Amino acid sequence: MQVHPASLAEPWWKRGVIYNLYPCSYMDGNGDGWGDIAGIRSRLDHLVRLGIDAIWMSPVFVSPMKDFGYDVADHTAIGPQFGTLAEMDALIAEVHDRGMKLMIDFVPNHTSDQHPWFLESRASRDNPRADWYVWHDPAPGGGPPNNWRSLFGGSAWAWCEERGQYWYHAFLAEQPDLNWRNPAVAAAMHDVMRFWLRRGIDGFRIDAMWHLLKDPLFRDNPPNPDFKPGEPAIRELLQIRIADLPETVDVVRGFRRVLDEFPDRATIGELYLDFDRICAYYGAALDGCNLPFNLHLIMDPWKADVVARAIETYEAALPEGAWPNWIFGNPDNPRVASRLGPAQARVAAVFLFTARGTPIVWQGDELGLTNGVVPPERVRDPQEKQEPGLVDHNRDIARTPMPWDGTTHAGFSTVEPWLPLTPDHASVNVAAEERDPRSMLSLHRRLIALRRAHPALAIGDVTVLTGANDVLAYERRHGGERFVVALNFAHAARSATLTEAAGGRIVLTSGLDREGETVGEVVRLAADEAVVIALTE
Ligand code: NOJ
């Protein structure tokens, strides 16, 4: 698939499409029911045909798998269940041979409690790594030092008998937080980055980026006046002492300095924050994270006026020269096709690939996968196990294996997979969707091909035209090339007066029936329909 030469003048992470690949669920290459590197290597062509520019691969490092790889016990070795370092090197080469980039997860906030650094740190108060994690004495009357909670429920403090102190863990107790105020920690983690950059990795997705620093005075978090019963317990408190401390950006700048030792690398970074705070992580001189995540399409209601406002707020908040990004799904949240319904998920796809900003696709959303159905006895997610039964809380439902074909285990494995397949995998799978020009997969391929062929869609400017009456419309423009995109968020027909679109020609719809149609200044949209209108060729 060709990229237009005008787009090629921009870096890959700006003009391209990034695909979040979840190794446990992509493809099982060794018949144990779990995905692995051999499996990924055997299915790279799916991503080539889709038109992906860069893969962000979730962790494959040595790990006790308490949090499915986000509990790293050795940052520079591959977990045996995923493969070997030689296989990883081969994967890097094969991804590059196919003209794609490979980014991996970098998990700097915490390690596994089995990591040698933590085993040493916990052994005494005066060992060489005693200050590598976040330790604190008990409160004066005994018990945890303060009211900080774990994102996975319960106190964020775990007791260490050997030291007579608590360690802080933003996530599981088995994921102790590193102390980023200690320069030795920064130096060691920077070397981890260099290890992978030297092997040819093109960049990192920085896990839990907004959690890296905690209040040095260890003050309590205040109550959250907006807490609603039924939400995870951590929401009872505002997280102001444990997340998004302003000086966190300095740590991110440190990552960037390491990246800049190598040509053409980039970081994307996890943050669940408002636009003004997201934008701080670019760094005032664009010397921070290349693409701090914008997770608003996951957090906010799917309404035309809300998304119109989001675009405008985001564009206004971006520092000069900073590039946005948009994301509908990830391994931690319910699937977009279940949140919005299948028809609006197609509208969402049109938005994702025509918006100004790098599209980040969650594995399986290109098939329109819905939430998995995971019976209680098959729950794997530690978040769900610690606080069972909350709404949209079990992350397993978004992590079910990729259905490749209609066979018993969907071509994912030769045995029962670690998580159940989606119930409709016999019909909703890659092979079936490849044959169907109306499938979600075909829509994704058409959208990505269109974006790659047109600089206005890949790298152009954006102007919001309307967000009223359930219709979101915007113009994309680069040089003489112009497109108007109109999305109907309603399950009923709508029309919008868009003088900018008059005389244009529809080049893509979320259906298939109107390509080539010329539009006037009143653009008619069927229920749940999205159209891309070319103004000039
Ligand atoms: C965010 C990751 O996406 C999630 O899966 C993980 O549990 C936490 N960070 C902790 O590493």
Side-chain angles (χ1 to χ4, degrees), residues 221-228 231-239:
N221 276 316
N224 174 9
D226 297 326
F227 175 74
K228 293 177 212 61
E231 292 183 326
I234 187 161
R235 290 262 311 147
E236 279 181 53
L237 303 172
L238 296 173
Q239 306 307 310

Side-chain angles (χ1 to χ4, degrees), residues 239-253:
Q239 306 307 310
I240 59 170
R241 306 290 183 213
I242 57 168
D244 191 30
L245 271 62
E247 61 270 32
T248 312
V249 179
D250 297 334
V251 180
V252 175
R253 280 201 193 95

Side-chain angles (χ1 to χ4, degrees), residues 67 70 107 110 152 171 175 205 207-208 270 332 395 399:
D67 190 20
Y70 285 94
V107 189
H110 45 270
F152 289 163
F171 298 92
Q175 292 168 293
R205 177 267 194 180
D207 185 65
E270 187 191 27
D332 299 333
R395 301 180 299 175
R399 299 175 176 180

